[in-house]
Amino acid sequence: PSIFTETYWIFATPDAALLAKWARLREIRDTVNKEIETLRSQGKIGSSLQANLHLEAAADDHMLLASLGDDLRFVMITSQATIAAGDALAVRVDAATAPKCERCWHWRDDVGHDPDHPSLCGRCTSNLFGVGEARTFA
């Protein structure tokens, strides 16, 4: 009698390893968000995109984070994210010093690289006027 009570798709059994991977990534992101909020409360940044993230992680977490490649910054919702090997998870967040792209709002060093579009970053000019970017996870 209602579209809201119909079953349109029956999903297969979830992939336990994939669920565990993203659960751990969400835990790490929660830790990152606490550090971002500290900078925000101090008035050093306005949004998470104004943050540059630096992570140190033990082998398992490092492998997990590295598997995201450049998409790590999108998953963490920051303008930049780097990882290094360490003994345990350590999070450092700094305020971005690069200019802000007026389209994507990421703070990037390549804003203004194209004189025809001085307020856009390289990623945005590629997406708008070039071949675009390939993203895998986020």
Side-chain angles (χ1 to χ4, degrees), residues 52-133:
N52 289 337
L53 173 63
H54 310 280
L55 295 166
E56 279 189 23
D60 288 345
D61 283 343
H62 186 277
M63 187 172 64
L64 177 74
L65 294 164
S67 74
L68 297 176
D70 195 40
D71 284 355
L72 177 61
R73 65 189 168 113
F74 296 113
V75 171
M76 298 296 166
I77 313 174
T78 59
S79 286
Q80 179 184 355
T82 59
I83 55 172
D87 295 329
L89 183 64
V91 177
R92 190 179 88 234
V93 178
D94 300 315
T97 57
K100 180 180 177 182
C101 175
E102 74 174 14
R103 178 177 177 265
C104 69
W105 294 11
H106 285 235
W107 299 68
R108 296 175 45 110
D109 289 325
D110 63 349
V111 170
H113 77 287
D114 184 344
D116 292 334
H117 308 285
S119 60
L120 299 181
C121 67
R123 186 174 143 256
C124 286
T125 55
S126 175
N127 285 333
L128 292 170
F129 309 107
V131 296
E133 69 184 317

